[in-house]
Amino acid sequence: MAQVAVAEPHADNAPDDDFSFTIAIGRCTPATSKEDGQMFIDVSLPTIPAQSDLADTAAPIPEQNAGLYPVASMDERRLAALIDGACLLFAYGGFLTLFGSLGGQFTFSKMSAAVYSIAFAIVYLQYFSLFTVFGGTTPGMMLRGLQVVDFSGETPSPRKLLLRAAGYILSAGTFFLGFLWAMWDEDELTWHDRISHTYLSSVEKLLDSEMQGTIHSHS
């Protein structure tokens, strides 16, 4: 700290009280004070916190979804797909068991492989079509708390559900490329999502989206 003190010399006719003032450059004195006939003026600059302190005290920015729609996370959709896959294999196994009990024979030939593939496609189509059109969701989606909504966040119409059921065939018939497309899509949507203008969302994300929409409408 540098201090500069200037004191007026005594005059013969001056009063007994001395007066002096001090200009302090530093951090040790109060901003402005007057005591015992001395006035202190602090012209030091305020302390600027370091950038690391500002980073620590800054409020965390909430993580937002990058897409336009509150789509369920990839992990939730994968778990729902695994559950649906297990249910589908169980249904297909039941079909093969019924086929064998009715006198059918299992052989390893090209014709048999084609029949098995067609039978699996039929079971796949019936599984997703019936659950999607009549229930709006599959067992795997229900167990994971997911539901199908349209791009406006409402319950899809029967036409959109039919398009979604047909989109499942396209997404799976191209070696599941339609499902994998969600990894590159900017909104994490699949082919059947784009075709039917619907998507999978969780109840929590839908509620958050509705609350944000209400806040924005009142602001």
Side-chain angles (χ1 to χ4, degrees):
M1 180 191 74
Q3 292 185 351
V4 179
V6 179
E8 295 182 357
H10 288 285
D12 293 338
N13 55 355
D16 294 337
D17 295 338
D18 295 335
F19 175 80
S20 64
F21 67 91
T22 301
I23 299 176
I25 302 175
R27 303 191 217 168
C28 61
T29 60
T32 302
S33 63
K34 184 176 182 181
E35 183 179 357
D36 297 332
Q38 295 182 349
M39 183 172 64
F40 295 91
I41 301 175
D42 187 3
V43 295
S44 60
L45 295 175
T47 304
I48 300 177
Q51 292 183 357
S52 59
D53 298 336
L54 292 176
D56 295 337
T57 57
I61 300 176
E63 184 179 357
Q64 298 180 354
N65 191 19
L68 295 175
Y69 312 103
V71 184
S73 64
M74 295 293 293
D75 293 336
E76 287 293 335
R77 285 186 282 175
R78 287 192 190 100
L79 290 175
L82 288 176
I83 296 174
D84 286 329
C87 295
L88 186 61
L89 290 177
F90 180 79
Y92 184 61
F95 173 80
L96 294 179
T97 301
L98 179 62
F99 175 76
S101 63
L102 295 177
Q105 297 181 355
F106 299 97
T107 59
F108 297 96
S109 62
K110 293 182 179 180
M111 181 61 68
S112 298
V115 172
Y116 300 152
S117 300
I118 295 173
F120 181 80
I122 294 174
V123 173
Y124 177 91
L125 176 61
Q126 291 180 344
Y127 179 87
F128 282 101
S129 297
L130 293 177
F131 280 112
T132 302
V133 174
F134 294 102
T137 183
T138 62
M141 300 174 192
M142 288 188 291
L143 292 177
R144 298 308 306 173
L146 306 179
Q147 60 185 27
V148 180
V149 294
D150 59 16
F151 282 0
S152 62
E154 304 295 333
T155 302
S157 62
R159 177 179 176 275
K160 290 183 178 180
L161 291 176
L162 284 173
L163 288 174
R164 184 175 181 86
Y168 281 126
I169 302 299
L170 178 62
S171 296
T174 54
F175 300 97
F176 295 94
L177 182 60
F179 290 95
L180 298 176
W181 185 258
M183 300 173 61
W184 301 284
D185 190 89
E186 59 183 356
D187 297 317
E188 296 185 349
L189 298 178
T190 60
W191 286 0
H192 46 275
D193 293 334
R194 294 291 185 184
I195 292 173
S196 61
H197 289 188
T198 61
Y199 62 93
L200 277 180
S201 183
S202 60
V203 178
E204 293 80 6
K205 286 197 171 186
L206 286 175
L207 291 177
D208 293 340
S209 179
E210 291 178 359
M211 291 179 61
Q212 291 179 1
T214 303
I215 293 174
H216 291 319
S217 63
H218 290 308
S219 60

